[in-house]
CSV table of all heavy atoms in Angstrom, one decimal:
chain,number,residue,atom,x,y,z
A,242,ASN,N,-11.2,-2.9,18.6
A,242,ASN,CA,-11.5,-3.0,17.2
A,242,ASN,C,-10.7,-4.2,16.7
A,242,ASN,O,-9.9,-4.8,17.4
A,242,ASN,CB,-11.1,-1.7,16.4
A,242,ASN,CG,-9.6,-1.4,16.5
A,242,ASN,OD1,-8.7,-2.2,16.3
A,242,ASN,ND2,-9.4,-0.1,17.0
A,243,GLY,N,-10.9,-4.6,15.4
A,243,GLY,CA,-10.3,-5.8,14.9
A,243,GLY,C,-8.8,-5.6,14.6
A,243,GLY,O,-8.0,-6.6,14.7
A,244,THR,N,-8.4,-4.4,14.3
A,244,THR,CA,-7.0,-4.2,14.0
A,244,THR,C,-6.1,-4.4,15.2
A,244,THR,O,-5.1,-5.0,15.2
A,244,THR,CB,-6.8,-2.7,13.4
A,244,THR,OG1,-7.7,-2.6,12.3
A,244,THR,CG2,-5.4,-2.5,13.0
A,247,LEU,N,-5.9,-8.0,16.0
A,247,LEU,CA,-4.9,-8.6,15.2
A,247,LEU,C,-3.5,-8.4,15.7
A,247,LEU,O,-2.7,-9.3,15.8
A,247,LEU,CB,-5.0,-8.1,13.7
A,247,LEU,CG,-6.1,-8.7,12.8
A,247,LEU,CD1,-6.1,-7.9,11.5
A,247,LEU,CD2,-5.8,-10.2,12.5
A,266,THR,N,-6.9,-8.6,0.6
A,266,THR,CA,-7.6,-8.5,1.9
A,266,THR,C,-7.7,-7.1,2.3
A,266,THR,O,-7.1,-6.2,1.6
A,266,THR,CB,-6.9,-9.3,3.0
A,266,THR,OG1,-7.5,-9.1,4.3
A,266,THR,CG2,-5.4,-8.8,3.2
A,267,PHE,N,-8.4,-6.7,3.3
A,267,PHE,CA,-8.4,-5.4,3.8
A,267,PHE,C,-7.0,-5.0,4.3
A,267,PHE,O,-6.3,-5.9,4.9
A,267,PHE,CB,-9.5,-5.2,4.9
A,267,PHE,CG,-9.6,-3.8,5.4
A,267,PHE,CD1,-9.9,-2.8,4.5
A,267,PHE,CD2,-9.4,-3.5,6.7
A,267,PHE,CE1,-10.0,-1.5,5.0
A,267,PHE,CE2,-9.5,-2.2,7.2
A,267,PHE,CZ,-9.8,-1.2,6.3
A,269,ALA,N,-5.8,-3.6,6.8
A,269,ALA,CA,-5.5,-3.8,8.2
A,269,ALA,C,-4.8,-5.2,8.5
A,269,ALA,O,-4.0,-5.2,9.5
A,269,ALA,CB,-6.8,-3.7,9.1
A,270,THR,N,-5.1,-6.2,7.7
A,270,THR,CA,-4.4,-7.5,7.9
A,270,THR,C,-2.9,-7.3,7.9
A,270,THR,O,-2.2,-7.8,8.7
A,270,THR,CB,-4.9,-8.5,6.9
A,270,THR,OG1,-6.3,-8.5,6.7
A,270,THR,CG2,-4.5,-9.9,7.3
A,312,VAL,N,-6.9,-15.5,5.9
A,312,VAL,CA,-8.1,-14.6,6.0
A,312,VAL,C,-9.2,-15.4,5.4
A,312,VAL,O,-9.1,-16.0,4.3
A,312,VAL,CB,-7.9,-13.3,5.2
A,312,VAL,CG1,-9.1,-12.5,5.2
A,312,VAL,CG2,-6.7,-12.6,5.7
A,338,ASP,N,-7.6,-14.2,10.3
A,338,ASP,CA,-8.3,-13.0,10.3
A,338,ASP,C,-9.7,-13.4,9.9
A,338,ASP,O,-10.0,-13.7,8.7
A,338,ASP,CB,-7.7,-12.0,9.4
A,338,ASP,CG,-8.5,-10.7,9.3
A,338,ASP,OD1,-9.7,-10.6,9.7
A,338,ASP,OD2,-7.9,-9.7,8.9
A,340,SER,N,-12.5,-11.6,10.2
A,340,SER,CA,-13.3,-10.4,10.2
A,340,SER,C,-14.6,-10.5,9.4
A,340,SER,O,-15.6,-9.9,9.7
A,340,SER,CB,-12.6,-9.2,9.7
A,340,SER,OG,-11.5,-8.9,10.6
A,341,HIS,N,-14.6,-11.3,8.3
A,341,HIS,CA,-15.8,-11.4,7.5
A,341,HIS,C,-16.7,-12.6,7.9
A,341,HIS,O,-17.7,-12.8,7.2
A,341,HIS,CB,-15.4,-11.6,6.0
A,341,HIS,CG,-14.6,-10.5,5.5
A,341,HIS,ND1,-14.1,-10.5,4.2
A,341,HIS,CD2,-14.2,-9.3,6.0
A,341,HIS,CE1,-13.4,-9.4,4.0
A,341,HIS,NE2,-13.5,-8.7,5.0
A,362,SER,N,-13.6,-8.8,13.6
A,362,SER,CA,-13.8,-7.4,13.6
A,362,SER,C,-15.3,-7.2,13.8
A,362,SER,O,-16.1,-7.9,13.1
A,362,SER,CB,-13.4,-6.7,12.4
A,362,SER,OG,-14.0,-5.4,12.3
A,364,HIS,N,-16.7,-4.1,13.5
A,364,HIS,CA,-16.8,-2.8,13.0
A,364,HIS,C,-18.3,-2.6,12.4
A,364,HIS,O,-18.9,-3.6,12.0
A,364,HIS,CB,-15.8,-2.5,11.8
A,364,HIS,CG,-15.9,-1.1,11.3
A,364,HIS,ND1,-16.5,-0.9,10.0
A,364,HIS,CD2,-15.6,0.1,11.8
A,364,HIS,CE1,-16.5,0.4,9.8
A,364,HIS,NE2,-15.9,1.0,10.8
A,367,LYS,N,-19.5,-4.5,9.5
A,367,LYS,CA,-19.4,-6.0,9.4
A,367,LYS,C,-20.8,-6.6,9.7
A,367,LYS,O,-21.7,-6.0,10.2
A,367,LYS,CB,-18.4,-6.5,10.5
A,367,LYS,CG,-17.0,-5.9,10.2
A,367,LYS,CD,-16.4,-6.3,8.9
A,367,LYS,CE,-14.9,-6.2,8.9
A,367,LYS,NZ,-14.4,-4.9,8.5
A,374,GLY,N,-15.3,-2.5,17.3
A,374,GLY,CA,-15.0,-3.6,18.2
A,374,GLY,C,-14.4,-4.8,17.5
A,374,GLY,O,-14.2,-4.8,16.3
B,748,LIG,C1,-12.7,-4.8,8.9
B,748,LIG,C2,-11.4,-5.7,8.7
B,748,LIG,C3,-10.3,-5.5,9.6
B,748,LIG,C4,-10.2,-4.4,10.5
B,748,LIG,O1,-11.1,-4.4,11.5
B,748,LIG,P1,-11.4,-3.0,12.3
B,748,LIG,O2,-12.4,-3.5,13.4
B,748,LIG,O3,-12.1,-2.1,11.3
B,748,LIG,O4,-10.2,-2.5,12.9
B,748,LIG,C5,-9.3,-6.4,9.4
B,748,LIG,N1,-9.3,-7.4,8.5
B,748,LIG,C6,-10.3,-7.5,7.6
B,748,LIG,C7,-10.3,-8.6,6.6
B,748,LIG,C8,-11.4,-6.7,7.7
B,748,LIG,O5,-12.4,-6.8,6.8
Side-chain angles (χ1 to χ4, degrees):
N242 61 56
T244 306
L247 281 168
T266 175
F267 185 57
T270 315
V312 179
D338 179 342
S340 293
H341 298 177
S362 163
H364 180 253
K367 302 301 202 270

